[in-house]
Amino acid sequence: MKKQASFSTQGSRADLGPLTIQRMLPNRYASAVGPFVFLDYVAPAIKNSITKNGMGAHPHRGIATLTYILQGEVEHFDSAGNGGKIYSGGAQWMKAGNGIIHDENFNYDSQTDSKYVQGFQFWINLPAKNKAEKPAHIAIQANEVPQKTLPDNSGTIKVVVGNFEDLGSKIPNYSEQFLYHIQLEPAKQFSFKIKKEIEVAAFLPTQKATLNEVEFQKGEFVEFDREAGEIEIKNTSETAIDIMLFGGETYAEPIVAEGPFVMNSQQEIIGAYRDFYAGKYGEIKNIN
């Protein structure tokens, strides 16, 4: 049985400095997809519009941030002393845990001929027992992202988060979760089975695609029902397309989100702000 689309949306504009950003999650229909509580899509931006002075240092608590860059490079700095730079196709994961301040520089990829920046930032909600842990950071280059060719040479699947068949990401799993980057060749299709009660959504950054016989346009975010079933993706375009497929098991604990903090109660939100203003998250010392 094929899963049904619950809704689709184009999100809302949430530009940041020189970057054109489309906020896909939360949206008017949903506040989370599995453990994912936030998704910003950074639309392609040309080299000359990018700053090297960071996007603005800010705190987080209770989540892990995930930056996945399609084109360009991203340099990370945080108050725990972590740093790293990823290039086109790479990912950076940062567990905010009990509190951290971070900043990122977006720029064109100095290792390739690409003069664009394009990518995603997700927030992954941590279980209550993990929200008080110390911060951590992982930088994963493109050649470290597990991937394989799809049957019938239909394209490729990259496992940015979670597992797929014999592939597993380096990013820790605190619950059942997945983020796949699927590239599908023209006139090809790929089917993916989802268990009951697993929340799943698709985002189409580059081209239209047909999902379970319904055509969705470039820039659409599509969430599906929670029944067990299949998602069939068809590429009716003349060029290869990209599909981001992500989700996981329902977050079973209370969710209270305010600003950059995602906790389990309003009291914990108050504590997150109190600790931040008291300077308990430290400061970034290694940014240019």
Side-chain angles (χ1 to χ4, degrees):
M1 181 177 69
K2 292 182 178 178
K3 294 175 71 66
Q4 298 296 311
S6 301
F7 67 86
S8 67
T9 178
Q10 292 274 353
S12 58
R13 287 284 291 271
D15 294 355
L16 179 62
L19 299 178
T20 299
I21 292 177
Q22 202 72 12
R23 182 151 299 162
M24 311 310 302
L25 187 71
N27 56 57
R28 60 184 295 188
Y29 306 104
S31 59
V33 180
F36 295 89
V37 292
F38 181 92
L39 168 57
D40 269 359
Y41 169 56
V42 181
I46 61 174
K47 164 186 172 181
N48 292 336
S49 68
I50 307 302
T51 178
K52 294 185 178 182
N53 298 319
M55 303 308 298
H58 57 280
H60 286 297
R61 190 170 189 168
I63 59 170
T65 65
L66 174 70
T67 302
Y68 178 52
I69 191 83
L70 296 182
Q71 301 182 79
E73 67 181 44
V74 181
E75 189 169 13
H76 170 92
F77 309 88
D78 68 44
S79 58
N82 300 308
K85 184 181 290 187
I86 57 169
Y87 305 90
S88 300
Q92 295 217 59
W93 175 88
M94 182 193 73
K95 180 173 68 174
N98 61 6
I100 198 168
I101 298 171
H102 82 133
D103 200 354
E104 292 178 313
N105 280 334
F106 285 77
N107 212 329
Y108 71 97
D109 191 334
S110 59
Q111 295 188 336
T112 73
D113 292 331
S114 174
K115 302 302 180 186
Y116 290 86
V117 172
Q118 179 187 18
F120 308 89
Q121 184 165 94
F122 294 85
W123 293 2
I124 302 171
N125 200 2
L126 296 174
K129 65 181 181 181
N130 303 109
K131 289 182 182 291
E133 293 177 347
K134 292 182 179 180
H137 173 262
I138 300 173
I140 301 172
Q141 301 303 336
N143 61 1
E144 299 175 295
V145 178
Q147 65 177 294
K148 65 167 45 180
T149 301
L150 298 175
D152 191 31
N153 290 317
S154 299
T156 59
I157 182 168
K158 299 178 181 180
V159 181
V160 184
V161 173
N163 302 282
F164 177 79
E165 295 181 348
D166 59 331
L167 303 180
S169 171
K170 291 183 177 181
I171 292 171
N173 294 318
Y174 296 97
S175 63
E176 186 170 352
Q177 59 181 11
F178 59 90
L179 168 59
Y180 304 141
H181 177 189
I182 299 167
Q183 294 178 302
L184 201 57
E185 296 297 323
K188 297 291 186 177
Q189 64 185 54
F190 172 66
S191 295
F192 182 77
K193 292 183 179 180
I194 304 289
K195 297 185 298 183
K196 185 177 177 63
E197 298 302 329
I198 294 296
E199 301 176 13
V200 57
F203 177 61
L204 310 177
T206 58
Q207 297 276 6
K208 66 180 181 180
T210 299
L211 307 175
N212 288 349
E213 306 302 331
V214 178
E215 184 175 275
F216 294 95
Q217 301 303 311
K218 171 185 175 181
E220 284 199 81
F221 172 104
V222 185
E223 186 171 352
F224 294 88
D225 64 37
R226 298 182 188 179
E227 298 300 320
E230 185 178 54
I231 297 177
E232 181 185 68
I233 306 167
K234 292 182 179 178
N235 181 4
T236 58
S237 301
E238 296 181 355
T239 59
I241 61 173
D242 296 276
I243 306 98
M244 306 302 297
L245 196 67
F246 67 96
E249 62 181 300
T250 302
Y251 190 87
E253 297 165 320
I255 301 174
V256 181
E258 186 173 314
F261 306 125
V262 182
M263 305 302 293
N264 300 114
S265 70
Q266 187 61 42
Q267 190 62 36
E268 290 176 338
I269 291 290
I270 293 170
Y273 276 107
R274 182 184 61 240
D275 289 350
F276 168 61
Y277 288 120
K280 292 185 179 181
Y281 296 0
E283 61 181 17
I284 299 174
K285 297 179 180 180
N286 55 341
I287 193 168
N288 293 333

